[in-house]
Amino acid sequence: MDFSADSSYLQVSTGSYKRQVYEVPSGKQLVDQAVIDRITWATWTSVLGDEVIGIWSRHAEKADVNCACVSHSGINLVTGDDFGMVKLFDFPCPEKFVRTSFCMVATRSTVDIRILSCFSRRHMMEIFPSLNL
């Protein structure tokens, strides 16, 4: 769940793999894609949307990528998947089948991840994966 930068909108990813955007505080679902495309998000934790199409590999199934988090600077995206892989991408990544900038292997399925700090891709990124133990 993510709020827009001005707290006027909320985005969620559903169990049926749909991204939905709602107006705050009315709760009315926003369906106008042109309006959705103009929203600036304060955070991004969704694995769905045009901004993150590139995180999906050619052979990925819908349930393979479990979590995502965009850095505070808005230029890096880290994902976690069913295979224990933690991957770093540029954000946004609207092109299909983007190569990762960095990849590391956790021991189990990664179900939640947050970027705690990010200096740059060349320096140090501190991430916090929550492992499904």
Side-chain angles (χ1 to χ4, degrees):
M1 178 170 38
D2 302 292
F3 279 95
S4 63
D6 64 1
S7 299
S8 296
Y9 302 98
L10 174 73
Q11 77 171 347
V12 296
S13 299
T14 70
S16 58
Y17 301 98
K18 295 184 186 209
R19 175 183 172 207
Q20 296 178 338
V21 177
Y22 296 93
E23 294 177 351
V24 174
S26 72
K28 179 182 172 192
Q29 186 173 357
L30 188 62
V31 293
D32 186 346
Q33 191 61 46
V35 174
I36 293 170
D37 290 343
R38 289 192 304 269
I39 297 172
T40 300
W41 296 99
T43 59
W44 189 285
T45 58
S46 178
V47 297
L48 305 174
D50 292 340
E51 298 85 345
V52 294
I53 288 174
I55 68 173
W56 299 92
S57 69
R58 290 186 194 282
H59 308 291
E61 296 179 11
K62 285 184 179 178
D64 286 349
V65 181
N66 300 317
C67 53
C69 184
V70 172
S71 63
H72 296 293
S73 63
I75 60 172
N76 294 303
L77 170 73
V78 65
T79 64
D81 65 29
D82 278 350
F83 310 104
M85 304 296 282
V86 176
K87 299 177 183 176
L88 177 66
F89 299 89
D90 290 333
F91 184 81
C93 53
E95 302 297 323
K96 289 184 177 183
F97 317 126
V98 173
R99 291 186 136 203
T100 65
S101 298
F102 172 79
C103 184
M104 68 179 233
V105 180
T107 57
R108 300 192 182 179
S109 175
T110 307
V111 295
D112 192 19
I113 198 161
R114 294 292 179 266
I115 297 176
L116 300 179
S117 60
C118 180
F119 301 103
S120 77
R121 278 189 306 172
R122 291 185 166 177
H123 294 96
M124 178 184 213
M125 177 171 283
E126 184 180 9
I127 56 176
F128 179 75
S130 299
L131 301 178
N132 186 14
L133 302 175

